[in-house]
């Protein structure tokens, strides 16, 4: 799987390819990062808008924070990477 995180203005754009069959896992990781108190997302400034475009082998996620806050793409990338790849895998996916 390939992941790219970019910033455009106050929006964070996440592009993932090679995700076939892992869409739910990715959305769960994004949610885990959003709810984490030690992650890149400020719990006091919830996201104003999140949009997801999904194809069979790719996903694009766009997040716009409330109050015009900006998040560092590298921090978002590291948090998502941690959530995606350090979680224990079940026997079915191993």
């Amino acid at each position: 799987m390939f992941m790219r995180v970019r910033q455009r203005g106050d929006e964070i754009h996440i592009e993932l390819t090679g995700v076939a069959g892992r869409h739910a896992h990715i959305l769960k990781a994004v949610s885990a990062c959003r709810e984490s108190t030690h992650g890149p997302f400020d719990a006091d400034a919830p996201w104003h808008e999140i949009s997801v475009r999904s194809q069979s082998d790719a996903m694009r996620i766009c997040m716009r924070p409330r109050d015009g806050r900006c998040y560092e793409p590298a921090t978002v990338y590291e948090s998502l990477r941690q959530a995606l790849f350090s979680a224990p895998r079940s026997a079915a996916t191993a």
Side-chain angles (χ1 to χ4, degrees):
M1 175 171 30
F2 175 77
M3 178 173 57
R4 175 182 293 159
V5 179
R6 296 183 194 185
Q7 181 176 2
R8 288 188 185 153
D10 62 346
E11 296 178 342
I12 294 291
H13 293 259
I14 303 165
E15 298 175 30
L16 300 113
T17 56
V19 300
R22 294 182 274 186
H23 296 81
H25 177 68
I26 292 165
L27 292 175
K28 189 174 180 179
V30 170
S31 292
C33 289
R34 287 180 54 216
E35 295 168 5
S36 173
T37 57
H38 60 277
F41 310 115
D42 185 350
D44 295 332
W47 295 94
H48 175 68
E49 181 181 326
I50 297 176
S51 65
V52 177
R53 289 187 190 175
S54 183
Q55 298 174 338
S56 62
D57 199 35
M59 289 181 78
R60 290 184 180 193
I61 303 168
C62 176
M63 301 186 296
R64 181 181 305 153
R66 249 181 239 275
D67 303 326
R69 298 199 186 195
C70 292
Y71 294 100
E72 189 65 36
T75 307
V76 173
Y77 176 88
E78 286 301 321
S79 179
L80 283 174
R81 188 176 139 225
Q82 177 90 13
L84 286 168
F85 300 113
S86 68
R89 301 179 82 178
S90 69
T93 61

